[in-house]
């Protein structure tokens, strides 16, 4: 890629790696259908793309990667597909621990996990424990997750803290809410990717993505590998993030346009 004269006039700094990438892994079913196979085959094949993106994130120094594996709304799918997705989640968690540890990946699950079977909940807790000391990449798997659920559970915690007199209602501000959302200890997503051609957020991370750069690609998830992911990261390196400032203000503050958030 020509980094000297990009179309948008913003000079890329290839060292600008997003601290947090969030991905809606979409298109498994269509990918399988195009090959006259069951949708569920697409989900199985999609696991390979997960591995590729996790490893590329480690290579590139992305600190946090969040993958949308199952939305609050996905329970509405046919029971056989839901049950295959749960089995796949369980078997992938079981099978990947060694690879995660080899790559220095700490896995955490975000979402309402009480809806899962006891076995799956135990497995999630085990993998979280077994990878807890890894520091190269925080891998968040969003399962039974919804952006509105996240804001709602934060609201519930705010109320609980007020009732317990740990929080003064007059002191409730954005920070107080943000501190009670999922992954409050990690930075907000800088780059929000959706594969599979749809241009919507589908109730993925909402509050925390308020200033994320959006990137949509038609590539279906099972075909999304290190190269396609690298293109998204390169595209991000060309974005000028203004956070309400003018482009000139950002350029004069940083030298390289777009580093205002650091
Ligand atoms: C995304 O692929 C995976 C999950 C939602 C679990 P889809 O299953 O939504 O695939 P398409 O969009 O039907 O092709
Ligand atoms: C979003 O994809 C959820 C995941 C990728 C897990 P969907 O395919 O379920 O989204 P919609 O329903 O088409 O918006
Ligand atoms: Mg879909």
């Amino acid at each position: 890629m020509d980094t000297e004269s990009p179309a948008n006039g913003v000079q890329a700094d290839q060292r600008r790696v997003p601290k947090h990438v969030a991905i809606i892994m979409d298109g498994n079913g269509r990918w399988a259908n195009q090959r006259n196979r069951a949708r569920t085959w697409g989900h199985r094949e999609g696991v390979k793309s997960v591995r590729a993106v996790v490893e590329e994130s480690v290579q590139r120094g992305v600190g946090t990667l969040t993958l949308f594996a199952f939305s609050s709304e996905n329970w509405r799918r046919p029971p056989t597909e839901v049950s295959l997705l749960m089995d796949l989640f369980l078997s992938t968690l079981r099978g990947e621990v060694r690879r995660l540890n080899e790559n220095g990946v700490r896995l955490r699950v975000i979402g309402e996990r009480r809806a899962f079977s006891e076995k799956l909940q135990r497995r999630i807790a085990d993998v979280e424990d077994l990878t807890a000391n890894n520091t190269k990449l925080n891998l968040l798997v969003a399962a039974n997750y919804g952006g509105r659920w996240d804001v709602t559970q934060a609201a519930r915690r705010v109320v609980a803290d007020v009732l317990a007199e740990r929080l003064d209602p007059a002191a409730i501000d954005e920070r107080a809410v943000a501190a009670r959302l999922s992954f409050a200890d990690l930075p907000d997503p800088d780059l929000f990717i959706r594969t599979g051609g749809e241009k919507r957020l589908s109730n993925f991370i909402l509050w925390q993505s308020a200033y994320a750069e959006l990137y949509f690609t038609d590539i279906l998830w099972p075909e999304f590998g290190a190269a396609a992911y690298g293109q998204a990261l390169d595209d991000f390196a060309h974005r000028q993030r203004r956070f309400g400032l003018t482009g000139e203000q950002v350029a004069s503050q940083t030298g390289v346009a777009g580093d205002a958030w650091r």
Side-chain angles (χ1 to χ4, degrees), residues 23-39 41-50 52-53 68 77 193-200 215-229 231:
I23 307 182
I24 300 184
M25 312 184 286
D26 197 20
N28 293 347
R30 280 165 288 158
W31 184 83
N33 286 343
Q34 284 170 4
R35 285 156 184 79
N36 295 318
R37 303 284 293 263
R39 295 175 51 81
W41 185 61
H43 297 315
R44 290 185 207 283
E45 288 295 301
V47 175
K48 295 178 188 162
S49 300
V50 171
V53 167
F68 206 6
R77 292 194 177 193
I193 298 174
R194 182 175 190 138
T195 66
E198 313 295 356
K199 292 178 183 65
R200 54 178 174 256
Y215 182 89
F216 298 100
T217 170
D218 289 337
I219 299 175
L220 303 171
W221 179 251
E223 283 183 344
F224 192 81
Y229 183 44
Q231 268 178 23

Side-chain angles (χ1 to χ4, degrees), residues 207-246:
W207 174 294
Q208 302 94 321
S209 295
Y211 252 111
E213 296 295 324
L214 306 181
Y215 182 89
F216 298 100
T217 170
D218 289 337
I219 299 175
L220 303 171
W221 179 251
E223 283 183 344
F224 192 81
Y229 183 44
Q231 268 178 23
L233 296 174
D234 292 344
D235 187 276
F236 174 84
H238 284 97
R239 306 272 182 106
Q240 186 188 52
R241 307 190 75 194
R242 290 195 280 273
F243 297 99
L245 303 178
T246 68

Side-chain angles (χ1 to χ4, degrees), residues 39-203:
R39 295 175 51 81
T40 48
W41 185 61
H43 297 315
R44 290 185 207 283
E45 288 295 301
V47 175
K48 295 178 188 162
S49 300
V50 171
R51 279 191 204 113
V53 167
V54 167
E55 282 170 18
E56 191 65 13
S57 296
V58 172
Q59 295 297 321
R60 296 227 185 193
V62 171
T64 302
L65 173 68
T66 302
L67 300 175
F68 206 6
F70 192 86
S71 75
S72 329
E73 292 73 30
N74 286 146
W75 295 108
R76 298 180 187 150
R77 292 194 177 193
T80 48
E81 182 167 343
V82 171
S83 125
L84 176 283
L85 285 167
M86 293 299 145
D87 290 350
L88 191 61
F89 193 19
L90 190 68
S91 61
T92 306
L93 284 172
R94 188 177 289 134
E96 293 299 308
V97 177
R98 210 169 85 184
R99 199 188 291 259
L100 292 173
N101 279 332
E102 279 167 9
N103 281 302
V105 180
R106 176 180 182 182
L107 184 139
R108 287 189 250 177
V109 172
I110 56 168
E112 176 56 278
R113 64 176 78 178
R114 276 179 304 183
F116 297 135
S117 69
E118 287 282 322
K119 195 173 166 190
L120 183 50
Q121 289 186 52
R122 265 201 314 275
R123 191 65 216 161
I124 291 170
D126 286 350
V127 178
E128 287 179 335
D129 283 350
L130 289 165
T131 62
N133 295 324
N134 295 332
T135 55
K136 280 216 170 131
L137 176 73
N138 288 300
L139 173 61
L140 304 181
V141 175
N144 194 19
Y145 180 87
R148 289 179 175 176
W149 166 83
D150 203 355
V151 175
T152 306
Q153 65 83 26
R156 205 179 299 126
R157 290 192 201 180
V158 166
V159 173
D161 285 344
V162 167
L163 292 176
E165 297 185 356
R166 286 189 294 261
L167 180 64
D168 175 0
I172 299 171
D173 55 9
E174 286 187 16
R175 283 167 73 118
V177 177
R180 289 163 177 81
L181 291 164
S182 301
F183 66 89
D185 57 320
L186 298 171
D188 287 346
D190 304 300
L191 174 61
F192 184 121
I193 298 174
R194 182 175 190 138
T195 66
E198 313 295 356
K199 292 178 183 65
R200 54 178 174 256
L201 306 182
S202 299
N203 194 23

